Amino acid sequence: MLSNISDRSLLILGAVLCFIAAWCTIGYHHPDEHFQIWEFANYKLGQIPASALPWEFPAQMRPGLQPFLAYCSVLFTRAAGIENPFVQVFLMRALCGVAALFVYWKWLAWLERDLKNPEAARWMRIGLLFFWLMPYLNVRFSSENTSAICFFGGLLLLLQALENQKNRFSWQIIMAGLLLGLSFFFRYQIAFAGIGLGAWLLFKGRPTIPQWAALATGVLLAFVIGFITDYWLYNAWVFAPYNYFFSNIMEGKAANFGVSPFWWYFTEMPIALLPPLSLVLLCFCALGIWQKPWHVLSWCVVPFVLAHSLVAHKEVRFLFPMVMPFFFFAAAGWEVFKGKFWVKPWMTKAFGFCLGLNIIVLIFRILIPAKEIAAYSKFL
């Protein structure tokens, strides 16, 4: 069983699954993963005209940071003699997988202190590595994934600095602010979690003035990078975050892709994440948040989910950036449940069935292309 394998072996096995997923899950999870990133990069490479781009380009509402990274990756791989676009995109998926595993594994070591039961910490690691959707999500070169990697990487650096470097203007906090700011220019909606983080810092974290100054310096650097890459993409100085808000919210263009009621995520996520295991995990997650209301991750997750629930247009992928806190709170909730209730034999058998089902779906998810048409294109 996975529960008897060392942490190092778990990480190696998780890395192997991510590599397989990076190689096999060609294509995109959602069209935005291709048309808002790689197609913009193709335009800057001179391979397609601006007239072939989606409506978001003339609206100047998409960030230029991620298309710039895609553009640079193509130039780098071409310089190395790699012309196959499927190999070029694979390398970016593999890079995302490495970054996600590195950041999340560091977080798991940090979060173990908040769990009293070592068994809960072990299941948190197993869930984050081997839940059927995780290897697939970790390797996506999507705005959701890159934004989450930067946000939680910056947040961890910030927490470590606040704990170890009292009353200091440090480079670590500057780097934390830089990553947090860059996460916004990968996906603007991460600002909802950033607002929660800011509130937690004011009421709970309470950085000193030098620490606030260092954090603001890093965020300012990120905004400089973000606006420069936006200029690179549009050949004009634009305020893309405002254009995004104005087009999607004020003009209601996002609603043209469908609207859903406030509670949509609470009914759709259990189905999308594969019941019955998803039902158990979501219940444990809610219990964990209830038990840890002052945890910094609670202040990030709750505003993020509530804000997305208030927006009319909803998609499951919009909540993907919160997968790491999801498994932490699920482990915390399981810890509370086990401390108050006796785990009966039928519960153990049902959990075993869920694990078996999870493994089967995991195998299929990492081997099947993300978009079937990409497999035909690769063959041709």
Side-chain angles (χ1 to χ4, degrees), residues 297-308:
L297 293 181
S298 297
W299 286 63
C300 294
V301 171
V302 174
F304 187 85
V305 174
L306 290 179
H308 277 82

Side-chain angles (χ1 to χ4, degrees), residues 58-222:
Q60 299 180 333
M61 57 176 284
R62 292 288 182 175
L65 178 59
Q66 199 163 358
F68 178 74
L69 294 180
Y71 171 87
C72 291
S73 71
V74 173
L75 294 182
F76 178 81
T77 51
R78 285 179 177 176
I82 302 173
E83 296 289 342
N84 189 324
F86 288 93
V87 176
Q88 293 170 346
V89 178
F90 156 71
L91 292 175
M92 291 305 292
R93 285 198 299 266
L95 182 61
C96 284
V98 171
L101 283 181
F102 177 80
V103 170
Y104 294 159
W105 197 255
K106 291 291 185 180
W107 259 105
L108 294 178
W110 178 270
L111 292 171
E112 282 183 342
R113 307 181 309 173
D114 299 316
L115 297 173
K116 301 176 183 179
N117 190 331
E119 190 176 357
R122 167 51 65 96
W123 282 111
M124 176 178 63
R125 291 180 182 272
I126 292 174
L128 197 59
L129 289 174
F130 305 111
F131 184 67
W132 68 274
L133 198 56
M134 288 310 299
Y136 172 82
L137 290 184
N138 285 340
V139 302
R140 303 258 59 83
F141 186 56
S142 63
S143 63
E144 293 87 5
N145 192 31
T146 51
S147 179
I149 292 170
C150 284
F151 182 83
F152 288 110
L155 178 55
L156 182 58
L157 286 177
L158 177 60
L159 295 177
Q160 291 172 339
L162 292 178
E163 183 177 277
N164 301 324
Q165 301 175 7
K166 300 297 184 182
N167 197 30
R168 287 182 57 186
F169 183 98
S170 69
W171 284 105
Q172 184 176 355
I173 299 182
I174 294 176
M175 180 58 66
L178 176 63
L179 289 174
L180 290 169
L182 290 178
S183 71
F184 175 75
F185 282 96
F186 280 116
R187 185 164 183 80
Y188 299 138
Q189 291 89 334
I190 201 68
F192 298 135
I195 293 172
L197 171 60
W200 181 87
L201 289 172
L202 287 172
F203 292 103
K204 188 69 175 179
R206 298 179 180 177
T208 61
I209 293 179
Q211 289 171 335
W212 276 115
L215 185 63
T217 300
V219 173
L220 180 61
L221 288 174

